Amino acid sequence: MRAIIFVIYVILISACYPINKTIQPHAEIVVVDERGNPVCDAVVTLIAGAYPYGEERTRMSIKTDDSGKAITSDCNVTQLV
């Protein structure tokens, strides 16, 4: 009985431990010039930071296509390093 209570206690305490997890959500960026025309082959850089530390965690650069779009999908940032 004591073992069961101890296991439940450990599970409840471990659920309170903060875990840093950074997720890069889906993003669709359109790069245009001052006239509104799409800019192809522009480099768009997405930077993930860690709060509260303020340090840079990862950086990902994407080139735009012929329509000026740079698209990312939902992914774990650690996969992009």
Side-chain angles (χ1 to χ4, degrees), residues 13 17 21 28 41-42 45 47 49-50 52 54 57 63 66-67 72:
I13 293 296
Y17 184 76
K21 186 174 183 181
E28 185 172 323
D41 294 328
T45 303
I47 301 172
R57 301 302 266 176
K63 277 192 168 186
D66 292 335
S67 62
T72 67

Side-chain angles (χ1 to χ4, degrees), residues 15-78:
C16 296
Y17 184 76
I19 297 174
N20 293 332
K21 186 174 183 181
T22 305
I23 302 292
Q24 174 62 52
H26 174 79
E28 185 172 323
I29 298 114
V30 179
V31 180
V32 294
D33 62 12
E34 56 276 348
R35 293 184 192 150
N37 299 320
V39 178
C40 65
D41 294 328
V43 178
V44 176
T45 303
L46 300 173
I47 301 172
Y51 178 81
Y53 310 111
E55 62 190 41
E56 183 178 314
R57 301 302 266 176
T58 188
R59 182 181 291 246
M60 181 177 74
S61 295
I62 307 167
K63 277 192 168 186
T64 58
D65 60 12
D66 292 335
S67 62
K69 289 184 182 178
I71 301 173
T72 67
S73 60
D74 293 340
C75 58
N76 189 333
V77 172
T78 57

Side-chain angles (χ1 to χ4, degrees), residues 3-22:
I4 294 172
I5 293 172
F6 178 74
V7 170
I8 292 172
Y9 179 74
V10 169
I11 290 171
L12 291 175
I13 293 296
S14 65
C16 296
Y17 184 76
I19 297 174
N20 293 332
K21 186 174 183 181
T22 305

